[in-house]
Amino acid sequence: MTIIVIGKTGQLAQELKLLNDKVVCLGRSDINITDPEKLNSTLNKYDVAGIINASAYTAVDKAESEQQQAFEINASAVGNLAKVAKQKAVPFVHVSTDYVFSGDKGSPYQVDEVHAPIGAYGASKAAGEKAIQQYAAEVSCIIRTSWVYSQFGNNFVKTMLRLMAEKPELGVIDDQIGSPTSAKALAHACLYAVNHKVTGVHHFTDSGVCSWYDFALAIQELAIKHGLLEKPIPVKPIPTSAYPTPAKRPSYSVLDKSTLKDAFNGLQPKHWRNELEIVIQQLATQKQLKDMKND
């Protein structure tokens, strides 16, 4: 029995593959999720035990000018996957985002709150959630998350490490508040949802709350501790207004995780600083191996 992961090169897909040898990751060259016939044809080659959708159109700013592409991948294709999962009677786990909310509430968002996206990316992800609930709610689990990082791919942690090594000083936004999420921890939650046929909407992030500025300070501190950076540079807090982007970001997008206690048998996310240190250690090991190879 195979757990099909839609997505191949993304952070979550790579962590899922490391965690479970029953996982088969399918990328764009392997499967076409926008074409129902081709999607069915590909999945019929496998003895499918469950489907995890770890793929998405995630270019938040680009989505403002590429709304059709964003909705095709984040909404229409998600509806296609939900229908296939229902047809095959297998669990479907879909990863969604804090961007389905406006960020204006000022307190943690509950799982059943009404969508209120403030940009095209968030709107496309909200449409994907609605498609799942319309077509296959009884076999589906929607996991909303935020600020995902890992040893893989492109993410805030790796961007900060690069900039901190290159620049004399850095300005980082301090008025957007949320919760970072280790892709490895999220992968564990996704696999639990498939294996235990969890349904409904749930939130999963690391525990704790911070701003991007707080997160950056911790990244620098731990990177110096583990030898990824030689010396600290000044990191200054800046407001969102000083860094304009095509798409607005939620200013407060902390997600309430209280449903995990029952639906995920008490699954308790670790604090973001603990998860961050694990990723920093992984990146330090990678650097050491690379340095040894080059010597």
Side-chain angles (χ1 to χ4, degrees):
M1 297 289 283
T2 302
I3 297 172
I4 298 292
V5 173
I6 308 299
K8 204 171 195 175
T9 58
Q11 301 179 75
L12 179 57
Q14 292 186 74
E15 292 287 6
L16 283 162
K17 197 167 186 180
L18 282 181
L19 287 177
N20 192 307
D21 56 10
K22 291 180 181 177
V23 162
V24 171
C25 296
L26 301 177
R28 289 180 188 176
S29 60
D30 309 305
I31 192 165
N32 185 345
I33 59 175
T34 63
D35 184 315
E37 280 189 29
K38 290 178 180 175
L39 172 60
N40 265 304
S41 175
T42 301
L43 290 182
N44 284 339
K45 298 172 186 174
Y46 299 92
D47 186 8
V48 180
I51 300 168
I52 298 173
N53 184 26
S55 73
Y57 181 106
T58 56
V60 175
D61 289 320
K62 227 174 172 182
E64 295 301 310
S65 58
E66 293 185 353
Q67 295 195 23
Q68 185 177 339
Q69 293 96 315
F71 273 82
E72 184 176 37
I73 296 167
N74 291 345
S76 300
V78 171
N80 294 339
L81 287 165
K83 289 174 184 175
V84 169
K86 184 178 179 179
Q87 179 190 327
K88 292 184 176 297
V90 297
F92 176 48
V93 176
H94 173 70
V95 179
S96 193
T97 174
D98 55 329
Y99 277 63
V100 299
F101 300 122
S102 67
D104 295 334
K105 185 186 173 194
S107 60
Y109 282 92
Q110 308 295 315
V111 295
D112 57 355
E113 294 199 40
V114 177
H115 294 147
I118 52 175
Y121 165 69
S124 69
K125 292 293 285 185
E129 290 189 13
K130 288 174 183 172
I132 291 169
Q133 289 164 334
Q134 179 182 347
Y135 299 128
E138 62 270 37
V139 298
S140 299
C141 176
I142 295 167
I143 299 179
R144 294 194 192 114
T145 192
S146 60
W147 300 20
V148 179
Y149 66 95
S150 73
Q151 62 179 312
F152 300 112
N154 298 314
N155 56 67
F156 183 79
V157 172
K158 293 172 80 173
T159 298
M160 286 297 105
L161 290 171
R162 176 175 56 78
L163 293 175
M164 287 166 178
E166 293 173 356
K167 293 186 174 292
E169 66 175 45
L170 210 54
V172 182
I173 289 170
D174 72 339
D175 56 357
Q176 290 176 23
I177 309 298
S179 299
T181 307
S182 158
K184 184 176 182 179
L186 178 60
H188 276 291
C190 290
L191 287 170
Y192 184 95
V194 167
N195 292 329
H196 294 83
K197 299 182 178 179
V198 177
T199 59
V201 182
H202 305 281
H203 292 161
F204 186 92
T205 66
D206 298 343
S207 71
V209 174
C210 64
S211 67
W212 289 113
Y213 171 72
D214 299 327
F215 198 23
L217 290 180
I219 290 164
Q220 179 168 253
E221 177 194 326
L222 292 169
I224 291 169
K225 175 182 173 182
H226 292 283
L228 269 176
L229 292 173
E230 292 179 7
K231 62 182 190 301
I233 63 167
V235 180
K236 299 178 179 179
I238 61 171
T240 298
S241 57
Y243 191 75
T245 55
K248 283 183 70 178
R249 268 67 173 169
S251 59
Y252 184 95
S253 62
V254 178
L255 301 172
D256 179 272
K257 297 181 284 291
S258 57
T259 65
L260 295 177
K261 184 178 180 182
D262 293 328
F264 286 76
N265 195 29
L267 179 68
Q268 186 60 50
K270 295 176 184 172
H271 194 274
W272 63 265
R273 279 191 64 99
N274 299 94
E275 293 287 9
L276 174 62
E277 184 152 22
I278 292 168
V279 170
I280 294 290
Q281 287 172 325
Q282 290 171 329
L283 292 170
T285 301
Q286 287 176 20
K287 184 177 182 293
Q288 288 166 3
L289 291 171
K290 189 177 179 182
D291 291 345
M292 287 168 60
K293 197 174 181 182
N294 293 334
D295 284 345

PDB file of all heavy atoms in Angstrom, residues 257-284:
ATOM      1  N   LYS A 257      -4.600  25.608  18.115  1.00  0.00           N
ATOM      2  CA  LYS A 257      -4.329  24.183  17.854  1.00  0.00           C
ATOM      3  C   LYS A 257      -5.069  23.239  18.803  1.00  0.00           C
ATOM      4  O   LYS A 257      -4.679  22.086  18.967  1.00  0.00           O
ATOM      5  CB  LYS A 257      -2.816  23.929  17.935  1.00  0.00           C
ATOM      6  CG  LYS A 257      -2.032  24.685  16.868  1.00  0.00           C
ATOM      7  CD  LYS A 257      -0.540  24.398  16.937  1.00  0.00           C
ATOM      8  CE  LYS A 257       0.150  25.112  18.063  1.00  0.00           C
ATOM      9  NZ  LYS A 257       0.222  26.579  17.864  1.00  0.00           N
ATOM     10  N   SER A 258      -6.126  23.724  19.427  1.00  0.00           N
ATOM     11  CA  SER A 258      -6.773  22.927  20.479  1.00  0.00           C
ATOM     12  C   SER A 258      -7.405  21.633  19.971  1.00  0.00           C
ATOM     13  O   SER A 258      -7.571  20.681  20.742  1.00  0.00           O
ATOM     14  CB  SER A 258      -7.817  23.773  21.213  1.00  0.00           C
ATOM     15  OG  SER A 258      -8.772  24.291  20.316  1.00  0.00           O
ATOM     16  N   THR A 259      -7.757  21.537  18.674  1.00  0.00           N
ATOM     17  CA  THR A 259      -8.391  20.301  18.177  1.00  0.00           C
ATOM     18  C   THR A 259      -7.397  19.142  18.091  1.00  0.00           C
ATOM     19  O   THR A 259      -7.800  17.987  17.968  1.00  0.00           O
ATOM     20  CB  THR A 259      -9.018  20.499  16.782  1.00  0.00           C
ATOM     21  OG1 THR A 259      -7.985  20.778  15.837  1.00  0.00           O
ATOM     22  CG2 THR A 259     -10.043  21.612  16.785  1.00  0.00           C
ATOM     23  N   LEU A 260      -6.096  19.434  18.157  1.00  0.00           N
ATOM     24  CA  LEU A 260      -5.096  18.358  18.065  1.00  0.00           C
ATOM     25  C   LEU A 260      -5.233  17.372  19.222  1.00  0.00           C
ATOM     26  O   LEU A 260      -4.957  16.184  19.064  1.00  0.00           O
ATOM     27  CB  LEU A 260      -3.677  18.939  18.067  1.00  0.00           C
ATOM     28  CG  LEU A 260      -3.271  19.811  16.878  1.00  0.00           C
ATOM     29  CD1 LEU A 260      -1.858  20.353  17.075  1.00  0.00           C
ATOM     30  CD2 LEU A 260      -3.359  19.036  15.567  1.00  0.00           C
ATOM     31  N   LYS A 261      -5.657  17.876  20.374  1.00  0.00           N
ATOM     32  CA  LYS A 261      -5.735  17.036  21.565  1.00  0.00           C
ATOM     33  C   LYS A 261      -6.598  15.805  21.337  1.00  0.00           C
ATOM     34  O   LYS A 261      -6.215  14.681  21.692  1.00  0.00           O
ATOM     35  CB  LYS A 261      -6.286  17.850  22.744  1.00  0.00           C
ATOM     36  CG  LYS A 261      -6.313  17.085  24.053  1.00  0.00           C
ATOM     37  CD  LYS A 261      -6.816  17.959  25.194  1.00  0.00           C
ATOM     38  CE  LYS A 261      -6.841  17.163  26.484  1.00  0.00           C
ATOM     39  NZ  LYS A 261      -7.388  17.979  27.612  1.00  0.00           N
ATOM     40  N   ASP A 262      -7.761  15.988  20.728  1.00  0.00           N
ATOM     41  CA  ASP A 262      -8.672  14.865  20.490  1.00  0.00           C
ATOM     42  C   ASP A 262      -8.421  14.188  19.147  1.00  0.00           C
ATOM     43  O   ASP A 262      -8.259  12.970  19.073  1.00  0.00           O
ATOM     44  CB  ASP A 262     -10.128  15.339  20.567  1.00  0.00           C
ATOM     45  CG  ASP A 262     -10.520  15.780  21.966  1.00  0.00           C
ATOM     46  OD1 ASP A 262      -9.983  15.200  22.936  1.00  0.00           O
ATOM     47  OD2 ASP A 262     -11.347  16.691  22.088  1.00  0.00           O
ATOM     48  N   ALA A 263      -8.363  14.975  18.074  1.00  0.00           N
ATOM     49  CA  ALA A 263      -8.275  14.397  16.733  1.00  0.00           C
ATOM     50  C   ALA A 263      -6.924  13.732  16.467  1.00  0.00           C
ATOM     51  O   ALA A 263      -6.831  12.773  15.691  1.00  0.00           O
ATOM     52  CB  ALA A 263      -8.546  15.468  15.680  1.00  0.00           C
ATOM     53  N   PHE A 264      -5.855  14.247  17.095  1.00  0.00           N
ATOM     54  CA  PHE A 264      -4.514  13.704  16.866  1.00  0.00           C
ATOM     55  C   PHE A 264      -3.945  13.039  18.122  1.00  0.00           C
ATOM     56  O   PHE A 264      -2.733  12.965  18.296  1.00  0.00           O
ATOM     57  CB  PHE A 264      -3.575  14.809  16.374  1.00  0.00           C
ATOM     58  CG  PHE A 264      -3.823  15.221  14.947  1.00  0.00           C
ATOM     59  CD1 PHE A 264      -4.908  16.023  14.614  1.00  0.00           C
ATOM     60  CD2 PHE A 264      -2.982  14.803  13.928  1.00  0.00           C
ATOM     61  CE1 PHE A 264      -5.150  16.406  13.301  1.00  0.00           C
ATOM     62  CE2 PHE A 264      -3.204  15.174  12.612  1.00  0.00           C
ATOM     63  CZ  PHE A 264      -4.288  15.977  12.292  1.00  0.00           C
ATOM     64  N   ASN A 265      -4.851  12.558  18.967  1.00  0.00           N
ATOM     65  CA  ASN A 265      -4.468  11.801  20.152  1.00  0.00           C
ATOM     66  C   ASN A 265      -3.429  12.535  20.999  1.00  0.00           C
ATOM     67  O   ASN A 265      -2.420  11.972  21.421  1.00  0.00           O
ATOM     68  CB  ASN A 265      -3.913  10.417  19.743  1.00  0.00           C
ATOM     69  CG  ASN A 265      -3.847   9.456  20.913  1.00  0.00           C
ATOM     70  OD1 ASN A 265      -4.639   9.546  21.848  1.00  0.00           O
ATOM     71  ND2 ASN A 265      -2.899   8.537  20.875  1.00  0.00           N
ATOM     72  N   GLY A 266      -3.670  13.822  21.217  1.00  0.00           N
ATOM     73  CA  GLY A 266      -2.798  14.582  22.098  1.00  0.00           C
ATOM     74  C   GLY A 266      -1.480  15.014  21.490  1.00  0.00           C
ATOM     75  O   GLY A 266      -0.562  15.408  22.220  1.00  0.00           O
ATOM     76  N   LEU A 267      -1.361  14.923  20.186  1.00  0.00           N
ATOM     77  CA  LEU A 267      -0.133  15.368  19.520  1.00  0.00           C
ATOM     78  C   LEU A 267       0.220  16.780  19.986  1.00  0.00           C
ATOM     79  O   LEU A 267      -0.580  17.699  19.857  1.00  0.00           O
ATOM     80  CB  LEU A 267      -0.327  15.369  17.997  1.00  0.00           C
ATOM     81  CG  LEU A 267       0.850  15.837  17.139  1.00  0.00           C
ATOM     82  CD1 LEU A 267       1.997  14.845  17.232  1.00  0.00           C
ATOM     83  CD2 LEU A 267       0.412  15.993  15.692  1.00  0.00           C
ATOM     84  N   GLN A 268       1.404  16.929  20.562  1.00  0.00           N
ATOM     85  CA  GLN A 268       1.782  18.218  21.141  1.00  0.00           C
ATOM     86  C   GLN A 268       2.984  18.799  20.409  1.00  0.00           C
ATOM     87  O   GLN A 268       4.103  18.318  20.568  1.00  0.00           O
ATOM     88  CB  GLN A 268       2.111  18.040  22.629  1.00  0.00           C
ATOM     89  CG  GLN A 268       2.379  19.339  23.363  1.00  0.00           C
ATOM     90  CD  GLN A 268       1.210  20.307  23.326  1.00  0.00           C
ATOM     91  OE1 GLN A 268       0.075  19.933  23.619  1.00  0.00           O
ATOM     92  NE2 GLN A 268       1.469  21.559  22.988  1.00  0.00           N
ATOM     93  N   PRO A 269       2.774  19.829  19.587  1.00  0.00           N
ATOM     94  CA  PRO A 269       3.914  20.430  18.891  1.00  0.00           C
ATOM     95  C   PRO A 269       4.943  20.993  19.872  1.00  0.00           C
ATOM     96  O   PRO A 269       4.588  21.478  20.943  1.00  0.00           O
ATOM     97  CB  PRO A 269       3.265  21.564  18.082  1.00  0.00           C
ATOM     98  CG  PRO A 269       1.821  21.210  17.986  1.00  0.00           C
ATOM     99  CD  PRO A 269       1.503  20.484  19.245  1.00  0.00           C
ATOM    100  N   LYS A 270       6.210  20.916  19.487  1.00  0.00           N
ATOM    101  CA  LYS A 270       7.284  21.483  20.307  1.00  0.00           C
ATOM    102  C   LYS A 270       7.388  22.988  20.042  1.00  0.00           C
ATOM    103  O   LYS A 270       6.931  23.480  19.018  1.00  0.00           O
ATOM    104  CB  LYS A 270       8.611  20.805  19.975  1.00  0.00           C
ATOM    105  CG  LYS A 270       8.648  19.324  20.326  1.00  0.00           C
ATOM    106  CD  LYS A 270       9.971  18.723  19.868  1.00  0.00           C
ATOM    107  CE  LYS A 270      10.001  17.220  20.114  1.00  0.00           C
ATOM    108  NZ  LYS A 270      11.196  16.580  19.511  1.00  0.00           N
ATOM    109  N   HIS A 271       8.044  23.690  20.946  1.00  0.00           N
ATOM    110  CA  HIS A 271       8.228  25.129  20.782  1.00  0.00           C
ATOM    111  C   HIS A 271       9.098  25.399  19.558  1.00  0.00           C
ATOM    112  O   HIS A 271      10.017  24.641  19.249  1.00  0.00           O
ATOM    113  CB  HIS A 271       8.878  25.729  22.029  1.00  0.00           C
ATOM    114  CG  HIS A 271       8.799  27.221  22.074  1.00  0.00           C
ATOM    115  ND1 HIS A 271       9.726  28.038  21.457  1.00  0.00           N
ATOM    116  CD2 HIS A 271       7.876  28.049  22.644  1.00  0.00           C
ATOM    117  CE1 HIS A 271       9.397  29.299  21.653  1.00  0.00           C
ATOM    118  NE2 HIS A 271       8.275  29.338  22.372  1.00  0.00           N
ATOM    119  N   TRP A 272       8.827  26.508  18.876  1.00  0.00           N
ATOM    120  CA  TRP A 272       9.535  26.812  17.633  1.00  0.00           C
ATOM    121  C   TRP A 272      11.039  26.938  17.827  1.00  0.00           C
ATOM    122  O   TRP A 272      11.813  26.586  16.931  1.00  0.00           O
ATOM    123  CB  TRP A 272       8.960  28.054  16.952  1.00  0.00           C
ATOM    124  CG  TRP A 272       9.063  29.355  17.684  1.00  0.00           C
ATOM    125  CD1 TRP A 272       8.109  29.923  18.479  1.00  0.00           C
ATOM    126  CD2 TRP A 272      10.179  30.263  17.686  1.00  0.00           C
ATOM    127  NE1 TRP A 272       8.561  31.133  18.964  1.00  0.00           N
ATOM    128  CE2 TRP A 272       9.820  31.368  18.495  1.00  0.00           C
ATOM    129  CE3 TRP A 272      11.434  30.259  17.084  1.00  0.00           C
ATOM    130  CZ2 TRP A 272      10.684  32.439  18.727  1.00  0.00           C
ATOM    131  CZ3 TRP A 272      12.293  31.332  17.304  1.00  0.00           C
ATOM    132  CH2 TRP A 272      11.923  32.400  18.117  1.00  0.00           C
ATOM    133  N   ARG A 273      11.488  27.393  18.985  1.00  0.00           N
ATOM    134  CA  ARG A 273      12.940  27.502  19.214  1.00  0.00           C
ATOM    135  C   ARG A 273      13.597  26.120  19.251  1.00  0.00           C
ATOM    136  O   ARG A 273      14.718  25.946  18.761  1.00  0.00           O
ATOM    137  CB  ARG A 273      13.239  28.259  20.511  1.00  0.00           C
ATOM    138  CG  ARG A 273      13.169  29.765  20.378  1.00  0.00           C
ATOM    139  CD  ARG A 273      13.735  30.443  21.621  1.00  0.00           C
ATOM    140  NE  ARG A 273      15.154  30.155  21.786  1.00  0.00           N
ATOM    141  CZ  ARG A 273      16.129  30.992  21.415  1.00  0.00           C
ATOM    142  NH1 ARG A 273      15.838  32.152  20.848  1.00  0.00           N
ATOM    143  NH2 ARG A 273      17.380  30.672  21.622  1.00  0.00           N
ATOM    144  N   ASN A 274      12.914  25.144  19.845  1.00  0.00           N
ATOM    145  CA  ASN A 274      13.447  23.780  19.882  1.00  0.00           C
ATOM    146  C   ASN A 274      13.519  23.177  18.483  1.00  0.00           C
ATOM    147  O   ASN A 274      14.524  22.553  18.105  1.00  0.00           O
ATOM    148  CB  ASN A 274      12.583  22.889  20.789  1.00  0.00           C
ATOM    149  CG  ASN A 274      12.551  23.389  22.219  1.00  0.00           C
ATOM    150  OD1 ASN A 274      11.654  24.133  22.597  1.00  0.00           O
ATOM    151  ND2 ASN A 274      13.518  23.003  23.023  1.00  0.00           N
ATOM    152  N   GLU A 275      12.442  23.360  17.714  1.00  0.00           N
ATOM    153  CA  GLU A 275      12.418  22.834  16.343  1.00  0.00           C
ATOM    154  C   GLU A 275      13.444  23.561  15.470  1.00  0.00           C
ATOM    155  O   GLU A 275      14.116  22.946  14.630  1.00  0.00           O
ATOM    156  CB  GLU A 275      11.015  22.984  15.741  1.00  0.00           C
ATOM    157  CG  GLU A 275       9.949  22.124  16.400  1.00  0.00           C
ATOM    158  CD  GLU A 275      10.069  20.634  16.061  1.00  0.00           C
ATOM    159  OE1 GLU A 275      11.083  20.218  15.438  1.00  0.00           O
ATOM    160  OE2 GLU A 275       9.150  19.881  16.426  1.00  0.00           O
ATOM    161  N   LEU A 276      13.585  24.855  15.678  1.00  0.00           N
ATOM    162  CA  LEU A 276      14.557  25.628  14.909  1.00  0.00           C
ATOM    163  C   LEU A 276      15.974  25.137  15.172  1.00  0.00           C
ATOM    164  O   LEU A 276      16.777  25.012  14.233  1.00  0.00           O
ATOM    165  CB  LEU A 276      14.444  27.118  15.269  1.00  0.00           C
ATOM    166  CG  LEU A 276      15.494  28.048  14.655  1.00  0.00           C
ATOM    167  CD1 LEU A 276      15.401  28.033  13.122  1.00  0.00           C
ATOM    168  CD2 LEU A 276      15.327  29.466  15.187  1.00  0.00           C
ATOM    169  N   GLU A 277      16.278  24.831  16.420  1.00  0.00           N
ATOM    170  CA  GLU A 277      17.637  24.368  16.731  1.00  0.00           C
ATOM    171  C   GLU A 277      17.940  23.048  16.022  1.00  0.00           C
ATOM    172  O   GLU A 277      19.068  22.833  15.550  1.00  0.00           O
ATOM    173  CB  GLU A 277      17.836  24.224  18.243  1.00  0.00           C
ATOM    174  CG  GLU A 277      19.263  23.837  18.599  1.00  0.00           C
ATOM    175  CD  GLU A 277      19.701  24.315  19.971  1.00  0.00           C
ATOM    176  OE1 GLU A 277      18.834  24.575  20.833  1.00  0.00           O
ATOM    177  OE2 GLU A 277      20.925  24.433  20.187  1.00  0.00           O
ATOM    178  N   ILE A 278      16.946  22.179  15.912  1.00  0.00           N
ATOM    179  CA  ILE A 278      17.145  20.907  15.198  1.00  0.00           C
ATOM    180  C   ILE A 278      17.510  21.173  13.740  1.00  0.00           C
ATOM    181  O   ILE A 278      18.432  20.574  13.185  1.00  0.00           O
ATOM    182  CB  ILE A 278      15.879  20.028  15.297  1.00  0.00           C
ATOM    183  CG1 ILE A 278      15.669  19.553  16.732  1.00  0.00           C
ATOM    184  CG2 ILE A 278      15.967  18.827  14.347  1.00  0.00           C
ATOM    185  CD1 ILE A 278      14.312  18.918  16.999  1.00  0.00           C
ATOM    186  N   VAL A 279      16.793  22.100  13.101  1.00  0.00           N
ATOM    187  CA  VAL A 279      17.053  22.423  11.693  1.00  0.00           C
ATOM    188  C   VAL A 279      18.419  23.087  11.530  1.00  0.00           C
ATOM    189  O   VAL A 279      19.176  22.769  10.605  1.00  0.00           O
ATOM    190  CB  VAL A 279      15.930  23.320  11.118  1.00  0.00           C
ATOM    191  CG1 VAL A 279      16.310  23.870   9.745  1.00  0.00           C
ATOM    192  CG2 VAL A 279      14.636  22.522  11.031  1.00  0.00           C
ATOM    193  N   ILE A 280      18.773  23.980  12.450  1.00  0.00           N
ATOM    194  CA  ILE A 280      20.093  24.624  12.402  1.00  0.00           C
ATOM    195  C   ILE A 280      21.193  23.567  12.531  1.00  0.00           C
ATOM    196  O   ILE A 280      22.211  23.611  11.817  1.00  0.00           O
ATOM    197  CB  ILE A 280      20.230  25.683  13.519  1.00  0.00           C
ATOM    198  CG1 ILE A 280      19.259  26.856  13.279  1.00  0.00           C
ATOM    199  CG2 ILE A 280      21.667  26.172  13.642  1.00  0.00           C
ATOM    200  CD1 ILE A 280      19.595  27.749  12.102  1.00  0.00           C
ATOM    201  N   GLN A 281      20.993  22.592  13.414  1.00  0.00           N
ATOM    202  CA  GLN A 281      21.976  21.508  13.578  1.00  0.00           C
ATOM    203  C   GLN A 281      22.095  20.684  12.287  1.00  0.00           C
ATOM    204  O   GLN A 281      23.191  20.296  11.884  1.00  0.00           O
ATOM    205  CB  GLN A 281      21.563  20.600  14.739  1.00  0.00           C
ATOM    206  CG  GLN A 281      21.779  21.232  16.110  1.00  0.00           C
ATOM    207  CD  GLN A 281      21.190  20.408  17.237  1.00  0.00           C
ATOM    208  OE1 GLN A 281      20.146  19.775  17.101  1.00  0.00           O
ATOM    209  NE2 GLN A 281      21.859  20.413  18.376  1.00  0.00           N
ATOM    210  N   GLN A 282      20.963  20.417  11.635  1.00  0.00           N
ATOM    211  CA  GLN A 282      20.990  19.685  10.370  1.00  0.00           C
ATOM    212  C   GLN A 282      21.774  20.449   9.303  1.00  0.00           C
ATOM    213  O   GLN A 282      22.585  19.880   8.572  1.00  0.00           O
ATOM    214  CB  GLN A 282      19.560  19.425   9.877  1.00  0.00           C
ATOM    215  CG  GLN A 282      18.786  18.412  10.698  1.00  0.00           C
ATOM    216  CD  GLN A 282      17.310  18.338  10.305  1.00  0.00           C
ATOM    217  OE1 GLN A 282      16.715  19.327   9.875  1.00  0.00           O
ATOM    218  NE2 GLN A 282      16.713  17.172  10.466  1.00  0.00           N
ATOM    219  N   LEU A 283      21.542  21.757   9.227  1.00  0.00           N
ATOM    220  CA  LEU A 283      22.239  22.589   8.250  1.00  0.00           C
ATOM    221  C   LEU A 283      23.733  22.687   8.571  1.00  0.00           C
ATOM    222  O   LEU A 283      24.575  22.711   7.667  1.00  0.00           O
ATOM    223  CB  LEU A 283      21.615  23.986   8.210  1.00  0.00           C
ATOM    224  CG  LEU A 283      20.191  24.049   7.640  1.00  0.00           C
ATOM    225  CD1 LEU A 283      19.575  25.431   7.863  1.00  0.00           C
ATOM    226  CD2 LEU A 283      20.164  23.705   6.151  1.00  0.00           C
ATOM    227  N   ALA A 284      24.071  22.709   9.851  1.00  0.00           N
ATOM    228  CA  ALA A 284      25.483  22.743  10.260  1.00  0.00           C
ATOM    229  C   ALA A 284      26.183  21.442   9.865  1.00  0.00           C
ATOM    230  O   ALA A 284      27.324  21.461   9.387  1.00  0.00           O
ATOM    231  CB  ALA A 284      25.588  22.971  11.766  1.00  0.00           C
TER     232      ALA A 284
END
